[in-house]
Amino acid sequence: MDAVTFELKKTCEKTKARLGKLRTPHGEIETPVFMPVGTQATVKAIKPEELKEMGAYILLSNTYHLFLRPGHQLIKEAGGLHKFMNWDRAILTDSGGFQVFSLGDLRKITEEGVDFRSHIDGSKKFISPEIAIEIQNALGSDIMMAFDECPPYPADRGYVKDSLERTTRWAARCKEAHKTIEKQSIFGIVQGGMYRDLRYESACRITQLDFPGYALGGLSVGEPREIMYEVLDYSADFLPADKPRYLMGVGSPDYLFEGVERGIDMFDCVLPTRIARNGTAMTSKGKVVIKNAVHEKDFDPLDDECGCYTCRNYSRAYLRHLFKANEILSSMLLSHHNLYFLLSLMKKVREAIDKDRFIEFKKAFYDKYGEM
Amino acid sequence: MDAVTFELKKTCEKTKARLGKLRTPHGEIETPVFMPVGTQATVKAIKPEELKEMGAYILLSNTYHLFLRPGHQLIKEAGGLHKFMNWDRAILTDSGGFQVFSLGDLRKITEEGVDFRSHIDGSKKFISPEIAIEIQNALGSDIMMAFDECPPYPADRGYVKDSLERTTRWAARCKEAHKTIEKQSIFGIVQGGMYRDLRYESACRITQLDFPGYALGGLSVGEPREIMYEVLDYSADFLPADKPRYLMGVGSPDYLFEGVERGIDMFDCVLPTRIARNGTAMTSKGKVVIKNAVHEKDFDPLDDECGCYTCRNYSRAYLRHLFKANEILSSMLLSHHNLYFLLSLMKKVREAIDKDRFIEFKKAFYDKYGEM
């Protein structure tokens, strides 16, 4: 039996929004869920205990980065990624595909896999579907992702078609290479660019391989948001209802709402921690740019509706001071707040779906949040 | 009555090491004590709750830095430094003198005070004894320091003599300027360079002003350690036994031991957090430079005798990875460990004094720690 299973608990009557539960070897996760990102085996500026306190039950970590540094064999020797980074709840690892393809001129794709140069030291590296699985086996993540090719936007139809053929062959090779399905599960990735028929074809062929979960890849890669929403509109319908659906690399509040409304169960994004380090907070009344002079003598918390550690203990004036003084605590406190904000938002989204109030909740949030 | 009082509980029979208790408006502190430094209203990369957990009862913060940014009036409006930075235990603020004098060509000393240029934006600033007290009153620290002149090392006798005269006049002006002694106490600062007779003269004249505590200034400013120890040998004897003695800017383990042995009760230093950010840990077996290749596959904790959060949860291999990957968590975890290490060390020092085993404890520590 697959290590990771999904239970669909409810589907909204008015939208495609769903409530579900993922069961993994490292605990259960209520969906829809936002997964904080710990690229290099740490969620930047945050301790694991904080993530637990704020209700995170699953993290994402990046295969590409860990492969290059410190190396998957080292993490295996350390007892796996969970132990290495002191996180005993669930972990999803991506396949490294997205990062490798983002290297542009530094990589060369063949049927066998991808030759590329490390962004750290320029050394030659190679990842194939089999190696992506070997790395993720060594890391010991609960959910592994198939090694796919993610076409850029825009990309012509011929390229996208060829690419999805290869992604399909690679998905089969990933499945073949993974021997311990009772310990770790692989999710397949649907590609097809912004072409409806190719999305359909990719979904058919990937789901024929029968993975315990599916991701929609190749979205949020630079296309206008209307196009992404349109692709989401039909793409979710091409996937089986009883398997979890994961929209990769998406984490702004509007994308989360629009994704949930279209039947997506899982999301991840570096956005909350990245903008935190740049001094921006997400609040119930919209974004707060903490360095702005208006906050100089503002002794109120970032968000008076927020119950997080940062909002309970610190004023905007203090946070502004820390940011301007280049203090590490600025990144720590703002990252904490932003992650808490998104995790709490998703909790409220689940409650709203449960009470058949998702559309109303979304509208109220949008009205108050303003521009995304 | 003075806001801060001192109770001398015990003096070692074989050395001048003492046990005491400082009582402040924000709690009691067992001495000898090491005070973590929160220069800009934060101990770098550490949350206040962590400091409490590791047994910190008093912090130091820097008047010069807070005067320039965010400004003492803002902190006063925020309800004082304790509230601003979320720390309800004791705070000692320095006077800004040391930082101002360190500016070299950027400052000009007159009898009235010191004109200088901000290191942040080059703007013209002025601090006098009265302004140093005004700033510290606004910050609301439990212990304020008198505004002194700290001569460099080496400095000729004539300069040091003139300087200590001015420091004495300024100390009297600080005392005169401070009206709320029941809320905050001022400690006097003894100068006199490395000249025994001038140290004696300064001590006599500063103690005549009758402060509730005294610091030894102008040490650890570049002189050889033997000279510092020699000055400490006689300087402590020039001070009243029933008042706390504070050696400013000192925090390596050897300096702490040597200071305690010579009758010092209070210490502060940025060392533990600064070296932590540079990847160096203090352990019971000496310094560990975490980036070194020898730690690459070392899955043991930094210090197997340490009970801190970092040592309980993370391996050297993980810490090395974080440091090499430039992750903020590296600074967080190493700073936590180093502060815990020094605070625990001082706790053991107090226990050793209590059990008349200080000399033995010091020897055992030195034997194991190796080169400082």
Side-chain angles (χ1 to χ4, degrees):
Chain A
M1 186 175 148
D2 265 305
V4 173
T5 57
F6 182 69
E7 177 193 346
L8 179 63
K9 300 200 298 188
K10 172 173 184 165
T11 301
C12 199
E13 288 179 12
K14 296 174 198 159
T15 72
K16 297 180 201 163
R18 300 137 52 96
L19 277 187
K21 185 179 279 189
L22 268 176
R23 292 191 175 83
T24 81
H26 290 87
E28 298 182 349
I29 299 120
E30 302 292 334
T31 64
V33 64
F34 173 78
M35 303 182 284
V37 177
T39 294
Q40 302 191 107
T42 160
V43 175
K44 290 186 191 301
I46 295 288
K47 293 193 291 187
E49 290 74 13
E50 294 179 71
L51 291 165
K52 289 189 177 181
E53 273 174 39
M54 57 177 89
Y57 288 88
I58 182 167
L59 301 183
L60 179 143
S61 197
N62 290 106
T63 287
Y64 167 82
H65 292 85
L66 298 178
F67 171 57
L68 296 184
R69 183 173 59 196
H72 57 293
Q73 286 301 342
L74 186 145
I75 292 177
K76 187 177 184 180
E77 285 180 50
L81 183 56
H82 291 86
K83 189 172 174 198
F84 188 59
M85 69 183 287
N86 182 32
W87 176 254
D88 59 9
R89 294 185 180 175
I91 297 176
L92 180 150
T93 45
D94 64 5
S95 67
F98 182 77
Q99 278 80 17
V100 167
F101 290 103
S102 304
L103 292 172
D105 290 346
L106 291 172
R107 48 84 176 158
K108 189 178 148 233
I109 307 167
T110 64
E111 182 62 22
E112 181 56 21
V114 186
D115 286 290
F116 63 99
R117 295 220 175 239
S118 160
H119 75 280
I120 298 171
D121 61 8
S123 61
K124 282 189 178 179
K125 301 286 176 184
F126 177 70
I127 296 184
S128 62
E130 290 77 15
I131 293 174
I133 295 304
E134 181 192 326
I135 299 169
Q136 294 180 84
N137 281 160
L139 298 176
S141 48
D142 300 272
I143 300 172
M144 312 191 295
M145 299 304 298
F147 189 66
D148 64 328
E149 181 185 351
C150 177
Y153 177 85
D156 69 46
R157 199 186 150 77
Y159 179 91
V160 174
K161 169 85 170 131
D162 288 348
S163 170
L164 86 79
E165 299 278 353
R166 182 158 45 223
T167 286
T168 306
R169 291 190 295 272
W170 284 0
R173 282 167 58 189
C174 284
K175 204 172 173 198
E176 176 65 24
H178 178 49
K179 304 298 182 194
T180 52
I181 62 164
E182 73 289 356
K183 291 185 182 163
Q184 299 175 267
S185 284
I186 313 180
F187 281 16
I189 302 179
V190 175
Q191 292 287 353
M194 312 302 159
Y195 303 95
R196 182 179 171 126
D197 60 330
L198 296 184
R199 283 275 162 193
Y200 180 71
E201 182 180 342
S202 181
C204 289
R205 295 179 59 186
I206 294 292
T207 55
Q208 275 170 7
L209 292 169
D210 193 21
F211 290 101
Y214 298 96
L216 294 175
L219 292 173
S220 193
V221 291
E223 75 281 11
R225 68 172 61 204
E226 295 70 27
I227 292 190
M228 180 174 115
Y229 295 159
E230 187 191 320
V231 176
L232 281 181
D233 275 332
Y234 52 73
S235 293
D237 295 334
F238 301 156
L239 294 170
D242 62 348
K243 297 290 166 66
R245 301 161 182 170
Y246 164 29
L247 178 56
M248 295 193 288
V250 157
S252 60
D254 50 345
Y255 279 11
L256 294 175
F257 273 107
E258 301 298 331
V260 167
E261 187 167 346
R262 289 162 177 81
I264 303 298
D265 307 300
M266 303 166 68
F267 305 85
D268 79 281
C269 196
V270 297
L271 184 82
T273 45
R274 177 169 290 167
I275 67 174
R277 294 195 304 284
N278 292 328
T280 298
M282 302 173 182
T283 79
S284 59
K285 295 178 191 69
K287 279 188 193 163
V288 169
V289 178
I290 201 66
K291 74 176 171 202
N292 287 349
V294 67
H295 306 303
E296 185 180 4
K297 295 195 175 180
D298 187 340
F299 301 114
D300 287 330
L302 273 179
D303 188 346
D304 54 18
E305 293 179 26
C306 180
C308 84
Y309 169 76
T310 302
C311 289
R312 280 186 282 111
N313 293 294
Y314 303 94
S315 65
R316 293 182 176 204
Y318 182 67
L319 295 169
R320 180 175 186 269
H321 162 64
L322 292 180
F323 181 77
K324 288 180 69 84
N326 256 319
E327 285 287 352
I328 290 174
L329 191 61
S330 171
S331 294
M332 293 163 63
L333 296 180
L334 289 178
S335 296
H336 185 104
H337 168 81
N338 281 354
L339 287 173
Y340 184 100
F341 179 80
L342 281 192
L343 290 165
S344 300
L345 180 62
M346 292 306 274
K347 185 160 187 266
K348 290 177 201 159
V349 162
R350 292 193 297 270
E351 288 165 0
I353 298 171
D354 189 41
K355 292 178 183 157
D356 297 311
R357 290 186 40 78
F358 174 74
I359 289 292
E360 294 81 351
F361 178 71
K362 177 185 160 192
K363 182 173 184 313
F365 179 87
Y366 275 40
D367 286 348
K368 209 162 157 190
Y369 197 85
E371 203 174 326
M372 296 288 166
Chain B
M1 185 174 148
D2 265 304
V4 173
T5 58
F6 182 68
E7 178 192 347
L8 179 63
K9 298 201 297 187
K10 171 172 184 166
T11 301
C12 200
E13 286 178 12
K14 296 173 197 161
T15 72
K16 297 179 200 162
R18 302 138 50 97
L19 276 187
K21 185 179 278 189
L22 268 176
R23 291 190 175 82
T24 80
H26 291 87
E28 297 182 351
I29 300 119
E30 303 292 334
T31 63
V33 64
F34 173 78
M35 302 182 284
V37 178
T39 294
Q40 301 191 110
T42 160
V43 176
K44 291 188 192 299
I46 296 288
K47 293 193 289 186
E49 290 73 14
E50 295 179 70
L51 292 165
K52 289 189 178 182
E53 272 174 41
M54 57 176 88
Y57 288 89
I58 181 168
L59 300 183
L60 178 142
S61 198
N62 290 106
T63 288
Y64 167 82
H65 291 84
L66 297 178
F67 171 57
L68 295 184
R69 183 175 59 196
H72 57 293
Q73 286 302 341
L74 185 146
I75 292 178
K76 186 176 183 180
E77 284 179 51
L81 183 55
H82 291 86
K83 188 171 175 199
F84 188 58
M85 68 183 289
N86 183 31
W87 176 255
D88 59 9
R89 293 186 180 175
I91 297 174
L92 180 150
T93 45
D94 65 4
S95 68
F98 181 78
Q99 278 79 15
V100 168
F101 289 104
S102 305
L103 292 173
D105 291 346
L106 291 172
R107 49 83 175 158
K108 192 179 147 228
I109 307 168
T110 64
E111 183 61 23
E112 180 56 21
V114 185
D115 286 291
F116 63 99
R117 292 210 177 250
S118 160
H119 76 279
I120 299 171
D121 61 8
S123 62
K124 282 189 176 180
K125 300 286 176 183
F126 178 70
I127 297 185
S128 63
E130 290 76 15
I131 293 173
I133 295 303
E134 180 192 325
I135 298 169
Q136 294 180 85
N137 282 159
L139 298 177
S141 48
D142 299 271
I143 301 173
M144 313 191 295
M145 298 304 297
F147 189 66
D148 65 327
E149 182 185 350
C150 177
Y153 176 84
D156 70 45
R157 200 186 149 76
Y159 180 91
V160 174
K161 169 84 170 132
D162 289 348
S163 170
L164 86 78
E165 298 278 354
R166 183 159 44 223
T167 285
T168 306
R169 292 190 295 274
W170 284 0
R173 282 167 58 188
C174 283
K175 205 172 171 194
E176 175 67 24
H178 178 49
K179 304 300 183 193
T180 52
I181 61 165
E182 74 289 355
K183 289 185 184 165
Q184 297 174 270
S185 284
I186 313 180
F187 281 15
I189 302 178
V190 175
Q191 292 288 353
M194 311 302 159
Y195 302 96
R196 181 180 173 124
D197 60 328
L198 296 184
R199 282 275 163 192
Y200 180 70
E201 183 180 342
S202 182
C204 289
R205 295 178 60 187
I206 295 291
T207 55
Q208 275 171 7
L209 292 170
D210 194 21
F211 289 101
Y214 299 96
L216 293 174
L219 292 174
S220 192
V221 291
E223 74 281 9
R225 68 171 61 201
E226 296 70 27
I227 292 189
M228 182 174 114
Y229 294 160
E230 186 192 319
V231 176
L232 281 182
D233 275 333
Y234 52 72
S235 291
D237 295 335
F238 300 156
L239 295 170
D242 62 348
K243 297 290 166 66
R245 301 160 182 170
Y246 164 29
L247 178 56
M248 296 192 288
V250 158
S252 60
D254 51 344
Y255 279 12
L256 294 175
F257 273 107
E258 301 298 331
V260 166
E261 187 168 347
R262 288 162 176 82
I264 303 298
D265 308 300
M266 303 164 69
F267 305 85
D268 80 281
C269 197
V270 297
L271 184 81
T273 44
R274 179 170 290 168
I275 68 175
R277 295 195 303 283
N278 293 327
T280 298
M282 303 173 181
T283 78
S284 58
K285 295 179 189 69
K287 280 187 193 166
V288 168
V289 178
I290 201 66
K291 73 177 169 201
N292 287 349
V294 67
H295 307 303
E296 185 180 3
K297 293 193 175 181
D298 188 341
F299 302 116
D300 287 331
L302 274 179
D303 188 348
D304 55 18
E305 295 180 24
C306 180
C308 85
Y309 169 76
T310 303
C311 289
R312 281 186 283 110
N313 293 294
Y314 303 94
S315 65
R316 291 180 179 205
Y318 182 68
L319 295 170
R320 179 175 187 270
H321 162 65
L322 292 180
F323 181 77
K324 288 180 70 83
N326 256 320
E327 284 288 352
I328 289 174
L329 192 62
S330 172
S331 294
M332 292 163 63
L333 296 179
L334 289 178
S335 297
H336 186 104
H337 169 81
N338 281 353
L339 287 173
Y340 184 100
F341 179 80
L342 281 191
L343 291 165
S344 301
L345 181 62
M346 292 306 274
K347 185 160 187 264
K348 290 175 201 159
V349 162
R350 293 193 297 270
E351 288 165 1
I353 298 171
D354 189 40
K355 291 177 183 159
D356 296 311
R357 290 186 41 78
F358 174 72
I359 290 292
E360 294 83 352
F361 178 70
K362 176 185 159 192
K363 183 173 183 312
F365 179 86
Y366 276 40
D367 285 349
K368 207 162 158 189
Y369 198 84
E371 202 174 325
M372 297 288 166

